[in-house]
Amino acid sequence: MNKGLLGKLGMDSKMALGYFGVLLFMMGDGLELGWLSSYLIDNGLSVQQSALLFSVYGFAVAVAAWLSGVLAEVLGPKKVMTLGLILFVTGTVVFLTVGIPTMNLAVMIPTYSLRGLGYPLFAYSFLVWLTYHAPVERLGTAVGWFWVSFAGGLNVLGAYYSSFALPYLGEMKTLWSALIFVAIGSVLAIFLNKDDGSNRKVFESKAAMFKYISKGITIAFERPKVGIGGIVRTINTAGAYGLVVFLPAFMMDVGFTRTEWLQIYGALWTSNVIFNLIWGIVGDRVGWRNTVMWFGGIGCSVFIMGLYYVPHTFGPNYLATMAVAICFGACVAAFVPLSALIPSLAPENRGAAMSILNLGAGLSTFLGPAIVGIFIGTVGTLGVLWIYSGLYVFSSILMIFVTLPKKENATAKAADIAITQ
């Protein structure tokens, strides 16, 4: 680890360009998240067709997220990131030249899904690269910087860019401009990043290689703590993804304007980006497990309920509701040390362990909205939020069982003390 400014920030200079590359790539990927569905509905798709398009996209994200870890070890991170780039660009070009102009779902679904396959292969393979490169005593900080780059591009900068670009470029040109960010990000992360990324495993035969790929699932049973970590990761962002389905209507019924709600939601994710790094640093000091258990699980369970009770009690109090959203976003970020803890449970198979974690990240895009779809009609807004809150408490209980072996625990600065005593 270098001792200059980047070293003091916990970022190795060899990987610094990679972080910035991920930020730009995810900015290109996420610039349409807040408005594409409504645009497609306004231009010919039904709500059900739009929901189908994004559901299949989410499934592609989950599959690619799972495969990214083991493929990064089989092929090497750079090759998998390049594959992700190719899939993303191919899907985007056909989606924009044929899919949207014709509004033909037979074209739109597979091509938009290629985008869903592309970004996890790119971003999560870089995360696997980090888990091999970063020293274990700074691994929490290293993955914290990754999630700053990932979420900052996907949820913050992409959205803000669109808010400025759409009035001037229009929807189609804004979508095309995604390729500019993706191209620059890919050059930085794949070709200019100084570490050579030579962490791939060597296999005696193709059979051995495919057996190892299957370990991206079997390791969850061989190492149950890794499987538990995958469940916790699924719960992590389920609430955040589910909120956008039903909470805006509640907030506007309370008295907030659409603009105020969007600002509150933007503050949630801005806080999340900032605390992705903070919790990585905290986790290296007070313990990865403790950070996830107390600040992540318990914190999220409390503040997600605040998103109902504060506006319900005080009305459209902009500052109070924004403060709760900021706290919830910060607590969602407190699950970041999972990306250091889980691969440390299987040091000889870090890629496979990360595949389970990445699968959880992908599945959260299903779990959050699915809970809304199943329960909103019977238990309403408050009931759905209580379900999320209960899941977050459950994730904290599960973390009790996710402990490092003594050897790794000592290397990781004897993390699990103080708070649980």
Side-chain angles (χ1 to χ4, degrees):
M1 180 75 69
N2 65 304
K3 300 300 183 182
L5 176 60
L6 292 175
K8 292 178 180 179
L9 292 174
M11 186 188 299
D12 194 303
S13 61
K14 286 187 176 181
M15 304 298 284
L17 286 176
Y19 287 115
F20 191 50
V22 169
L23 175 76
L24 291 176
F25 190 103
M26 296 312 302
M27 183 177 173
D29 177 74
L31 59 81
E32 84 274 8
L33 292 182
W35 55 271
L36 181 60
S37 178
S38 59
Y39 171 72
L40 295 177
I41 292 170
D42 290 342
N43 285 274
L45 291 189
S46 68
V47 175
Q48 293 80 3
Q49 288 173 324
S50 178
L52 176 62
L53 175 68
F54 286 96
S55 296
V56 178
Y57 171 85
F59 178 76
V61 169
V63 170
W66 166 61
L67 285 173
S68 61
V70 288
L71 286 180
E73 289 195 322
V74 170
L75 302 175
K78 285 192 173 185
K79 287 186 178 180
V80 181
M81 292 171 71
T82 302
L83 175 61
L85 168 64
I86 293 170
L87 291 175
F88 186 92
V89 171
T90 302
T92 298
V93 169
V94 182
F95 181 70
L96 296 182
T97 56
V98 182
I100 290 183
T102 63
M103 286 293 165
N104 185 341
L105 278 181
V107 177
M108 298 175 74
I109 288 177
T111 55
Y112 196 59
S113 295
L114 284 181
R115 287 170 61 103
L117 290 173
Y119 92 74
L121 292 177
F122 182 91
Y124 294 148
S125 293
F126 181 77
L127 179 57
V128 173
W129 189 353
L130 277 180
T131 65
Y132 276 102
H133 179 87
V136 68
E137 69 274 8
R138 303 298 296 275
L139 187 54
T141 306
V143 299
W145 274 114
F146 168 81
W147 289 112
V148 166
S149 303
F150 182 94
L154 181 66
N155 297 311
V156 179
L157 293 182
Y160 281 124
Y161 166 76
S162 285
S163 70
F164 293 110
L166 285 171
Y168 298 99
L169 300 179
E171 289 83 0
M172 290 300 292
K173 289 182 179 178
T174 299
L175 288 170
W176 277 111
S177 69
L179 294 178
I180 299 173
F181 298 107
V182 166
I184 297 172
S186 298
V187 170
L188 292 175
I190 300 174
F191 304 109
L192 297 184
N193 207 37
K194 295 180 181 179
D195 186 77
D196 62 9
S198 57
N199 298 312
R200 62 175 296 185
K201 290 181 176 291
V202 178
F203 298 93
E204 297 178 356
S205 64
K206 288 186 177 181
M209 181 179 71
F210 285 114
K211 182 179 179 180
Y212 184 77
I213 291 176
S214 70
K215 191 173 283 292
I217 287 293
T218 60
I219 195 170
F221 303 96
E222 297 168 2
R223 301 288 183 94
K225 293 178 182 179
V226 173
I228 292 173
I231 296 172
V232 173
R233 180 63 184 88
T234 303
I235 295 171
N236 174 197
T237 45
Y241 287 130
L243 289 180
V244 296
V245 179
F246 70 102
L247 201 63
F250 166 74
M251 290 293 183
M252 282 171 238
D253 287 342
V254 168
F256 287 106
T257 65
R258 186 180 302 272
T259 298
E260 287 174 331
W261 158 247
L262 289 174
Q263 291 171 348
I264 290 168
Y265 187 68
L268 185 159
W269 283 110
T270 301
S271 166
N272 178 265
V273 170
I274 295 170
F275 275 88
N276 276 330
L277 177 60
I278 293 174
W279 291 128
I281 297 171
V282 170
D284 284 340
R285 286 162 173 75
V286 306
W288 298 334
R289 184 185 69 155
N290 287 330
T291 301
V292 174
M293 184 188 306
W294 295 103
F295 298 107
I298 300 302
C300 282
S301 72
V302 172
F303 288 111
I304 199 170
M305 297 310 304
L307 290 172
Y308 177 88
Y309 284 111
V310 168
H312 179 74
T313 304
F314 301 105
N317 189 315
Y318 179 76
L319 292 179
T321 305
M322 178 172 284
V324 173
I326 288 170
C327 291
F328 177 65
C331 291
V332 170
F335 287 82
V336 155
L338 281 173
S339 297
L341 175 58
I342 299 306
S344 297
L345 294 171
E348 74 287 357
N349 291 304
R350 288 176 182 264
M354 287 302 299
S355 286
I356 295 298
L357 208 57
N358 295 341
L359 177 61
L363 289 176
S364 68
T365 64
F366 290 109
L367 180 63
I371 289 173
V372 178
I374 295 170
F375 294 106
I376 193 73
T378 54
V379 301
T381 297
L382 181 59
V384 170
L385 288 172
W386 273 112
I387 291 172
Y388 289 141
S389 182
L391 283 174
Y392 283 121
V393 172
F394 179 57
S395 74
S396 288
I397 294 171
L398 288 177
M399 287 305 298
I400 295 173
F401 305 100
V402 184
T403 55
L404 284 168
K406 290 183 179 179
K407 179 180 178 181
E408 285 79 2
N409 198 40
T411 307
K413 293 189 174 182
D416 293 303
I417 53 174
I419 297 179
T420 56
Q421 292 182 346

